[in-house]
């Protein structure tokens, strides 16, 4: 009797792929719960960016260290590729595919993405990723990430449509004038290691009456409201 | 904002290189708005004439003693005097050391008319007047103060900086876009009010000086410690322990040296890693956009065949067609892609392979836009190559960085252990002799002095960091103007698409510990071998002609951003050098357009051996005799007024004069 082939050890690249796929599913699950799904391509990337830059508010590590700043808002090419793969794997629904012009004859896909609840695999995947509580999660700590995303999506969902669309571009880290377009926006400043978005979210506590504290969720809500105001320049 | 000099007239007398004609000896010319051409063949003094204009304004001082506009990490407080060779530039060119040769320049600075005359043998001032009134004293101190004030700059050093990096454009020398120090100083000088600009320059000098003193003291301390160790080693007592101390100290110093080298390597790798991270991330976006462009073209075609195909299924087919990747299983399936493409090219159904005649669902016959597709595929291939190259470089840098960090950790442990060992050995040594005590005191004094200098450096550095924020803010405010203007001029000057982008660089004012992040502008450009726009970080990243044209676009952009008082003069040496015929027309037109704006002036030299650009500098070819006369009127013709060299003396039939006529009209 032949021995079963040993499971192939995952390379860093494989792990990154899985990580990105998990991220897409959790982002979209959070969007569903906040009632803002399906998410357009732009919104999904914007949401991914805000989740990255604000994750320290929830005492979590950012998924990425930087994103390219450009006129179209944040865009993660590798995340986009995994979105397509998940759609073909039947875990996501993609509707209204179209293409948007980019400079030098390039194009960017546009569509509206949501979880595909008809998929028989989706419930198990979400459960293992911590989106259904600690019990079925592979790592109970993953539920923290899910909670954070749900809270963030909820905070953004309270904004009017036009403000949601521009929220990432209005973020204090992304819109820092010291960084010109076509450069990398590092979430932690190279000079002193601070994350200005997180600092801003933390600062709201200063305006509370003495002794009162803000929960991380409240900080996200206040920060989202602040982004809404920044969109309109106030 | 600075007021830039507008040249009005130039006059040169008794200088053998420019004897002039019998009717009009020397050179005496008005520099009117528009283009003034200095035409001649090699050796007739084109560069010398430009140098006369430059030296009239700089006098016997410049950014360096050699006269080269080299900018170090900090600027001197006052402009150094030219060394003997640079000062005798004109004297060396003629017999008799140019004694009696003089030059005069009339220049307008905003509302002021400034006239000055200098001896050419030593650049001494003979006369200088503002609006007809002589300076309070005829010396360089008063001259420099007057020019600085009229230009609205903080020092005469800044005047020199602006002259070299915005107005005078000599051949073959990279400008401020490529020289990070020069650009940093130029942005400070032209974007800030004079007081703030002066404050920053002063603080930079203080930081630089404290840094330099700290480094010198550190070197002295090293020697003093060596002397102390040698004296300790000579003490007769406990030779075994001393030998061990000596050996450990040698190991300690070697480890410290390795640590310093490792730290330098870490810094270098970090800078490159940041650059590669940016290039790679942009390459990934570019790759996605290139891939999607192919996908879209296919999408347009397939949508006609499958008007109601479900989006997910459509995406599967599109991805297979654009990248050859199967979204279902992740395999790279070139054969499946080729089969599918062949079916689509014939208009057959990609599922059941039915020919168009049997298809019921088809809206229009499928036609792949072959040439467009081919172009997009070429772009995609370039994007794939670029991304793969950068990803590999990024991975190599990451590995190198991790190795450096691991090595640094090991070294740190090693140093801690050696330090502990040395302290243990020290306790075993006998009491030191008087000589050793004296040397120990000397070491202690130097250690205290070093600490004091480091504190001084840190105090100045903190203050400097505060005021450098002004440059950052000013650069941010002007970024839009600079980028727009650069983009416009780049379109006119270059065949490739180019744009300006602001980034942050380390100023390098202090060599140790203190870092200063400052804004710096870079050019990005398309190329035949890379997809999209890629950042050009050094002159070596572009061809010679591209470098000069990018420099030129940056100078024009700076002039706009500086809101120079209405007009400016650009003095340019052989703009046609290293350009092909087609580029000469494009560049010539752009320079002509610049010179037509308001009171702008362009003074350009041209070598008749490569004269395709001349007619374009004057607005293009013309057959009109009146226009030829006008163009002659705008030309300082060194064939006539320069000292005749052998080539000209041998030209009995006037071929060079005819060549100039032909060049001015643009007739072939």
């Amino acid at each position: 009797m032949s021995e079963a082939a040993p499971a192939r050890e995952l390379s860093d690249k494989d792990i990154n792929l899985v990580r990105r796929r998990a991220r897409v599913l959790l982002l979209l699950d959070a969007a569903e719960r906040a009632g803002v799904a399906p998410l357009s391509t732009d919104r999904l990337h914007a949401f991914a960016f805000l989740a990255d830059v604000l994750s320290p508010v929830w005492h979590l590590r950012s998924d990425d260290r930087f994103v390219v700043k450009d006129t179209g808002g944040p865009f993660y090419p590798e995340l986009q590729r995994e979105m397509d793969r998940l759609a073909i794997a039947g875990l996501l629904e993609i509707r209204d595919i179209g293409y948007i012009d980019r400079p030098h004859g390039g194009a960017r896909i546009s569509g509206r993405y949501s979880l595909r609840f008809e998929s028989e695999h989706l419930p198990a995947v979400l459960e293992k990723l911590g989106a259904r509580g600690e019990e079925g999660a592979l790592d109970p700590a993953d539920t923290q990430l899910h909670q954070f995303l749900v809270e963030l999506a909820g905070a953004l969902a309270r904004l009017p449509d036009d403000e949601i669309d521009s929220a990432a571009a209005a973020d204090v880290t992304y819109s820092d004038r010291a960084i010109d377009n076509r450069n990398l926006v590092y979430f932690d400043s190279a000079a002193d290691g601070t994350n200005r978005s997180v600092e801003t979210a933390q600062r709201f506590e200063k305006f509370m009456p003495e002794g009162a504290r803000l929960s991380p969720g409240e900080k996200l809500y206040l920060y989202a409201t602040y982004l809404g105001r920044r969109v309109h320049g106030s | 904002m600075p007021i830039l000099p507008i040249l009005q007239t130039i006059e040169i007398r008794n200088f053998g290189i420019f004897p002039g004609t019998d009717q009009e000896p020397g050179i005496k010319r008005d520099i009117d708005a528009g283009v003034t051409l200095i035409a001649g063949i090699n050796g007739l003094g084109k560069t010398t004439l430009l140098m006369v204009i430059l030296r009239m304004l700089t006098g016997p001082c410049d950014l360096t003693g050699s006269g080269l506009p080299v900018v170090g990490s900090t600027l001197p407080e006052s402009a150094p005097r030219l060394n003997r060779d640079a000062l005798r530039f004109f004297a060396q060119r003629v017999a008799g050391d140019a004694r009696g040769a003089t030059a005069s320049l009339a220049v307008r600075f905003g509302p002021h008319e400034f006239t000055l005359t200098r001896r050419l043998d030593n650049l001494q001032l003979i006369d200088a007047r503002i609006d007809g009134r002589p300076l309070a004293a005829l010396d360089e101190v008063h001259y420099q103060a007057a020019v600085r004030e009229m230009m609205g700059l903080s020092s005469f050093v800044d005047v020199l900086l602006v002259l070299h990096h915005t107005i005078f454009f000599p051949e073959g020398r990279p400008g401020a876009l490529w020289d990070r120090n020069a650009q940093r100083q130029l942005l400070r000088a032209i974007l800030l009010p004079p007081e703030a600009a002066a404050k920053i320059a002063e603080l930079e000098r203080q930081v630089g000086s404290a840094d330099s003193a700290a480094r010198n003291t550190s070197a002295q301390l090293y020697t003093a410690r060596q002397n102390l160790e040698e004296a300790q080693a000579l003490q007769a007592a406990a030779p075994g322990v001393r030998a061990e101390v000596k050996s450990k100290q040698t190991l300690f110093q070697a480890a410290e040296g390795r640590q310093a080298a490792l730290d330098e390597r870490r810094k270098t790798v970090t800078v490159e890693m940041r650059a590669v991270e940016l290039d790679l991330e942009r390459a990934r976006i570019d790759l996605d956009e290139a891939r999607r462009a192919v996908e879209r073209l296919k999408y347009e075609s397939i949508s006609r065949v499958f008007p109601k195909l479900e989006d997910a299924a459509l995406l599967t087919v599109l991805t297979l067609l654009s990248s050859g990747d199967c979204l279902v299983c992740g395999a790279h399936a070139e054969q499946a892609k080729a089969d599918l493409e062949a079916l689509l090219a014939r208009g057959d159904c990609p599922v059941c392979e039915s020919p168009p005649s049997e298809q019921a669902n088809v809206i229009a016959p499928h036609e792949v836009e072959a040439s467009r597709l081919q172009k997009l595929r070429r772009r995609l291939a370039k994007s794939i190559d670029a991304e793969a190259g950068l990803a590999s470089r990024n991975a190599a840098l990451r590995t190198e960085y991790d190795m450096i960090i691991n090595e640094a950790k090991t070294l740190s442990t090693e140093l801690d252990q050696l330090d502990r060992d040395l302290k243990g050995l020290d306790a075993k040594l006998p009491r030191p002799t008087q000589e050793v005590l004296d040397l120990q005191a000397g070491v202690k004094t130097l250690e205290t002095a070093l600490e004091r200098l480091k504190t001084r450096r840190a105090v100045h550095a903190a203050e400097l960091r505060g005021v450098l924020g002004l440059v950052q803010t000013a650069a941010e405010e002007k970024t839009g103007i600079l980028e727009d203007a650069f983009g416009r001029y780049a379109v006119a000057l270059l065949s490739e698409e180019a744009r300006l982008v602001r980034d942050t660089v380390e100023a390098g004012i202090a060599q140790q510990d203190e870092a200063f992040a400052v804004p710096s502008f870079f050019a990005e450009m398309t190329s035949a071998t890379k997809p999209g726009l890629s950042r050009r970080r050094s002159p070596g990243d572009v061809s010679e002609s591209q470098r000069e044209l990018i420099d030129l676009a940056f100078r024009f952009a700076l002039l706009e951003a500086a809101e120079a008082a209405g007009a400016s003069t650009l003095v340019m040496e052989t703009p046609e050098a290293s350009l092909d015929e087609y580029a000469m027309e494009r560049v010539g037109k752009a320079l002509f357009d610049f010179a037509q704006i308001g009171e702008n002036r362009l003074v350009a030299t041209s070598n008749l051996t490569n004269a395709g650009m001349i007619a374009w500098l004057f607005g293009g070819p013309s057959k009109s005799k009146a226009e030829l006369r006008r163009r002659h009127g705008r030309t300082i013709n060194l064939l006539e007024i320069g000292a005749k060299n052998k080539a000209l003396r041998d030209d009995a039939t006037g071929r060079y004069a005819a060549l100039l006529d032909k060049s001015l009209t643009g007739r072939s």
Side-chain angles (χ1 to χ4, degrees):
Chain A
M1 204 171 83
S2 64
E3 280 183 38
R8 186 170 66 96
E9 196 174 320
L10 290 179
S11 67
D12 285 353
K13 197 177 161 192
D14 296 332
I15 291 168
N16 271 332
L17 288 181
V18 175
R19 197 167 53 81
R20 286 183 202 289
R21 284 176 200 170
R23 191 177 174 204
V24 172
L25 292 173
L26 291 176
L27 286 166
L28 283 171
D29 186 67
E32 289 287 352
R33 283 161 187 260
V36 287
L39 290 178
S40 66
T41 317
D42 287 352
R43 269 194 196 184
L44 214 156
H45 285 274
F47 186 19
F49 164 75
L50 288 168
D52 256 345
V53 79
L54 290 169
S55 53
V57 173
W58 214 266
H59 309 293
L60 295 168
R61 280 184 52 178
S62 306
D63 244 37
D64 290 284
R65 293 186 304 126
F66 49 71
V67 68
V68 174
K69 182 172 180 175
D70 215 336
T71 43
F75 182 76
Y76 296 89
E78 291 177 314
L79 195 74
Q80 182 61 50
R81 197 153 174 75
E82 295 319 306
M83 283 155 61
D84 291 353
R85 286 187 171 140
L86 286 168
I88 303 315
L91 296 173
L92 297 194
E93 281 218 29
I94 173 168
R95 280 171 240 164
D96 307 330
I97 290 185
Y99 294 87
I100 300 162
D101 280 336
R102 295 292 297 164
H104 310 110
R108 195 170 277 181
I109 193 166
S110 74
R112 293 193 303 137
Y113 293 80
S114 57
L115 293 176
R116 186 169 168 272
F117 290 105
E118 294 81 15
S119 162
E120 57 182 286
H121 303 291
L122 186 66
V125 174
L126 287 172
E127 188 179 349
K128 286 193 164 50
L129 292 176
R132 300 291 178 262
E134 286 190 9
E135 208 166 308
L138 286 175
D139 179 356
D142 289 347
T143 54
Q144 290 293 316
L145 172 61
H146 182 252
Q147 279 172 20
F148 161 63
L149 294 175
V150 169
E151 207 71 38
L152 180 61
L156 292 169
R158 293 195 323 158
L159 302 177
D161 266 9
D162 62 325
E163 292 178 11
I164 298 181
D165 285 338
S166 306
D171 171 77
V172 290
T173 302
Y174 197 79
S175 63
D176 182 358
R177 286 185 68 195
I179 300 158
D180 197 6
N181 278 344
R182 303 180 58 74
N183 283 299
L184 290 181
V185 176
Y186 284 85
F187 305 147
D188 295 335
S189 129
D192 52 13
T194 56
N195 173 322
R196 292 184 58 207
S197 305
V198 174
E199 275 194 340
T200 307
Q202 307 285 19
R203 213 175 294 141
F204 293 119
E205 204 153 65
K206 288 189 180 161
F207 304 110
M208 298 301 290
E210 204 175 324
R213 301 292 304 269
L214 286 173
S215 70
E218 287 165 334
K219 287 175 190 167
L220 292 179
Y221 274 80
L222 287 171
Y223 188 73
T225 310
Y226 173 66
L227 289 185
R229 286 210 310 274
R230 279 174 69 94
V231 168
H232 299 298
S234 59
Chain B
M1 292 300 163
I3 291 169
L4 300 175
I6 310 290
L7 298 185
Q8 304 288 303
T9 60
I10 169 91
E11 189 174 351
I12 299 174
R13 292 167 296 267
N14 304 322
F15 188 38
I17 286 190
F18 306 121
T21 59
D22 292 343
Q23 296 75 28
E24 198 175 284
I27 293 177
K28 187 176 182 184
R29 292 298 296 262
D30 290 338
I31 312 285
D32 296 326
V35 174
T36 296
L37 179 73
I38 300 171
I41 55 173
N42 283 341
L44 287 190
K46 295 186 298 296
T47 306
T48 304
L49 183 48
L50 294 190
M51 274 303 267
V52 170
I53 300 173
L54 175 69
R55 288 287 167 240
M56 284 298 98
L57 291 167
T58 69
C61 300
D62 209 330
L63 290 169
T64 57
S66 66
L68 289 173
V70 178
V71 178
S73 57
T74 59
L75 285 177
E77 193 171 359
S78 59
R81 277 190 76 81
L82 292 172
N83 62 30
R84 188 177 156 77
D85 275 354
L87 199 59
R88 285 177 45 77
F89 178 86
F90 302 110
Q92 283 164 343
R93 270 160 176 69
V94 286
D97 276 356
R99 273 190 296 276
T102 61
S104 301
L105 204 66
V107 190
R108 212 175 65 235
F109 291 101
H112 299 294
E113 292 290 339
F114 190 54
T115 55
L116 75 157
T117 302
R118 290 182 184 276
R119 285 168 55 164
L120 282 179
D121 59 344
N122 60 7
L123 299 178
Q124 189 188 330
L125 269 176
I126 298 172
D127 186 53
R129 292 164 192 273
I130 301 174
D131 299 326
R133 286 188 300 277
L135 296 182
L138 193 60
D139 58 29
E140 293 304 324
V141 173
H142 285 82
Y143 166 77
Q144 292 182 359
V147 175
R148 177 191 63 71
E149 201 165 316
M150 285 187 293
M151 286 181 75
L153 293 170
S154 74
S155 67
F156 190 68
V157 173
D158 283 355
V159 168
L160 294 169
L161 201 66
V162 170
L163 288 179
H164 280 296
H165 286 285
T166 57
I167 293 165
F168 284 88
F169 194 172
E171 191 185 343
R173 193 177 302 139
L177 185 62
W178 310 101
D179 180 339
R180 300 291 139 209
N181 281 333
Q183 193 187 129
R184 173 165 60 86
Q185 300 295 0
L186 194 60
L187 292 175
R188 173 192 58 77
I190 65 174
L191 298 184
L192 295 188
E195 305 74 38
K199 177 79 181 162
I200 289 175
E202 176 57 23
L203 279 169
E204 285 187 357
R205 273 191 294 277
Q206 287 173 343
V207 171
S209 149
D211 185 63
S212 163
R215 276 184 285 121
N216 289 340
T217 307
S218 187
Q220 286 171 18
L221 183 59
Y222 178 80
T223 311
R225 281 178 176 153
Q226 296 272 50
N227 292 340
L228 175 61
E229 283 160 21
E230 278 174 26
Q232 284 172 329
L234 286 174
Q235 282 189 265
V241 179
R242 294 207 180 282
E244 204 178 340
V245 169
K246 179 76 187 159
S247 150
K248 297 272 184 197
Q249 277 171 340
T250 308
L251 287 173
F252 191 86
Q253 279 164 9
E256 273 189 327
R258 287 204 325 268
Q259 196 177 40
L262 208 56
D263 199 45
E264 275 306 305
R265 234 177 89 202
R266 185 187 56 76
K267 282 182 193 161
T268 311
V269 169
T270 307
V271 169
E272 194 186 343
M273 241 165 61
R274 285 228 157 192
V276 171
E277 271 172 2
L278 169 63
D279 291 348
L280 175 60
E281 203 54 25
R282 278 176 40 183
R284 283 180 175 151
I285 290 178
D286 193 82
L287 175 58
D288 183 76
E289 291 176 358
R291 192 169 269 152
R292 301 294 177 185
V294 176
E295 209 177 275
R296 168 155 71 179
L297 196 62
K298 296 294 185 182
Y299 171 80
E300 285 161 3
S301 306
I302 286 184
S303 296
R304 293 181 195 128
V305 184
F306 293 119
K308 287 178 185 161
L309 189 65
E310 207 177 295
D311 279 346
L314 185 58
L315 197 59
T316 314
V317 179
L318 291 173
T319 308
L320 183 63
L321 280 166
S322 63
S323 65
D325 290 344
C326 175
L327 274 179
V328 177
C329 70
H332 191 68
E334 274 301 324
Q335 187 53 50
K337 173 186 158 191
D339 294 346
L340 199 49
E341 282 213 317
L343 288 168
L344 287 170
R346 289 196 299 271
D348 294 349
C349 172
V351 174
C352 66
E353 301 187 15
S354 302
S357 56
E358 294 170 20
Q359 295 167 11
N361 257 351
V362 177
I363 294 169
H366 169 68
E367 286 173 6
V368 176
E369 294 173 62
S371 67
R372 211 175 131 207
L373 182 63
Q374 209 176 5
K375 198 173 147 198
L376 290 173
R377 280 220 190 284
R378 274 201 300 273
R379 184 193 152 169
L380 180 56
K382 276 199 273 180
S383 298
I384 291 169
D385 285 350
E387 198 269 347
L390 285 162
S392 143
R393 182 71 195 132
N394 191 43
L397 283 168
R398 291 233 148 260
T399 309
E400 189 179 352
Y401 185 82
D402 290 345
M403 276 167 59
I404 290 171
I405 296 297
N406 285 335
E407 214 175 310
K409 278 184 195 158
T410 313
L411 254 180
S412 176
T413 314
E414 196 179 314
L415 279 163
D416 284 348
Q417 184 58 48
L418 283 166
D419 192 45
R420 276 197 298 277
D421 292 351
L422 280 165
K423 278 181 182 145
L425 288 167
D426 199 44
K428 294 182 193 167
L429 286 169
R431 291 190 58 75
T433 61
Q434 188 56 45
E435 185 199 0
V436 168
L437 284 173
D438 289 348
L439 286 166
Q440 278 174 339
V443 166
K444 184 77 190 157
T445 307
L446 283 167
E447 282 173 346
T448 312
L450 183 58
E451 278 315 302
R452 212 172 41 240
L453 285 166
K454 282 183 177 172
T455 308
R456 202 173 89 198
R457 186 179 65 192
V459 169
H460 292 320
E463 198 181 348
L464 176 58
R465 245 175 233 112
V467 284
L468 277 177
L470 297 173
V471 183
Q472 178 68 39
T473 308
E476 284 166 19
E477 280 169 6
K478 296 290 181 185
T479 294
I481 299 173
L482 273 166
E483 291 182 355
D484 287 352
F486 182 89
R488 265 187 284 113
Y489 286 110
V491 166
L493 290 164
L494 289 150
S495 52
E496 300 283 350
E497 184 185 338
R499 61 193 289 179
L500 197 65
V501 63
R502 176 168 47 80
D503 201 349
T504 304
V505 296
E506 156 53 27
I509 297 162
Q511 290 190 7
Q512 292 176 7
D513 303 332
E514 304 287 358
F516 300 92
V518 290
S520 200
F521 289 89
F522 290 81
E524 292 190 343
M525 207 168 79
T526 52
S527 85
T529 54
K530 289 181 182 173
L533 291 150
S534 56
R535 191 160 299 183
R536 311 306 169 96
R537 294 182 170 88
S538 74
D541 290 344
V542 291
S543 72
E544 177 70 14
S545 62
Q546 284 171 339
R547 202 258 306 148
E548 291 200 339
L549 297 175
I550 289 171
D551 268 353
L552 189 59
F554 187 56
R555 280 167 191 259
F556 286 150
L558 278 174
L559 292 174
E560 278 199 26
E563 291 169 13
S568 47
T569 305
L570 184 68
V571 181
M572 204 174 174
E573 187 176 14
T574 51
E576 75 274 14
S578 73
L579 294 181
D580 60 38
E581 194 67 30
Y582 178 66
M584 278 188 225
E585 176 182 335
R586 195 177 60 236
V587 176
K589 277 179 182 170
L591 290 170
F592 171 77
D593 288 344
F594 166 79
Q596 301 315 301
I597 301 170
E599 286 292 297
N600 277 0
R601 282 145 170 81
L602 171 75
V603 179
T605 64
S606 182
N607 195 332
L608 297 180
T609 52
N610 196 10
M613 181 186 275
I614 290 180
W616 292 109
L617 282 175
F618 286 109
S622 169
K623 289 178 180 171
S624 154
K625 285 187 178 166
E627 177 61 16
L628 178 62
R629 274 197 302 280
R630 193 189 72 79
R631 290 179 184 187
H632 263 298
R634 305 292 312 236
T635 302
I636 298 178
N637 183 359
L638 298 182
L639 299 172
E640 281 179 3
I641 61 175
K644 307 277 183 286
N645 61 9
K646 185 167 187 315
L648 214 51
R649 288 196 301 273
D650 290 348
D651 180 28
T653 54
R655 282 179 304 136
Y656 286 123
L659 184 59
L660 175 60
D661 276 356
K662 205 167 79 175
S663 306
L664 285 169
T665 56
R667 279 174 293 155
S668 51

